[in-house]
Amino acid sequence: MGGVVNVVSQDMGARPLYSAPMVPLLPGADLVEQGIADLAHGVESVPALLVSIGGPRLRRLGYDVPPAPPGAEHRLYELLERQDPDAAHSRYNALIRRLVSFARAAECAR
């Protein structure tokens, strides 16, 4: 937690404008930080797929989110189902709620 995430200017495309610390107090910051790092390293993980789902919104907020794998929503659910079939649906929904909560908090913190 508390790592550095590249923030980009919307009018400058994907070129990093500056690096900003991930605010660890935002709900879900741990997942977003890990997801961005995993995507950057080509790791398909729960956090990476979650960040892929929220990529467009996170990019609009200035986070440098690497390109998402296709079908991230389905891939996330399948990964959760492999880990624990009985809890996949509730875990998926909880993760999406954490992502949305992070994005809303980040919008307010701007």
Side-chain angles (χ1 to χ4, degrees):
M1 256 196 331
V4 174
V5 175
N6 288 331
V7 177
V8 296
S9 169
Q10 289 184 355
D11 57 346
M12 297 180 85
R15 197 179 102 219
L17 178 62
Y18 62 91
S19 293
M22 178 71 68
V23 181
L25 299 177
L26 295 180
D30 55 333
L31 281 173
V32 173
E33 182 178 15
Q34 185 63 52
I36 290 172
D38 287 352
L39 282 174
H41 292 99
V43 176
E44 185 172 280
S45 65
V46 169
L49 292 169
L50 184 65
V51 166
S52 295
I53 292 168
R57 187 172 185 181
L58 294 172
R59 285 185 198 96
R60 284 192 302 273
L61 288 168
Y63 292 97
D64 187 16
V65 178
E73 294 92 346
H74 293 290
R75 290 166 84 156
L76 174 58
Y77 190 86
E78 290 167 357
L79 180 58
L80 294 171
E81 195 171 41
R82 282 195 305 272
Q83 291 175 351
D84 187 353
D86 295 332
H89 183 75
S90 60
R91 281 193 64 208
Y92 180 90
N93 287 334
L95 288 165
I96 295 297
R97 283 192 301 272
R98 283 185 70 190
L99 176 65
V100 169
S101 185
F102 173 85
R104 286 180 180 162
E107 287 168 349
C108 290
R110 288 179 102 189

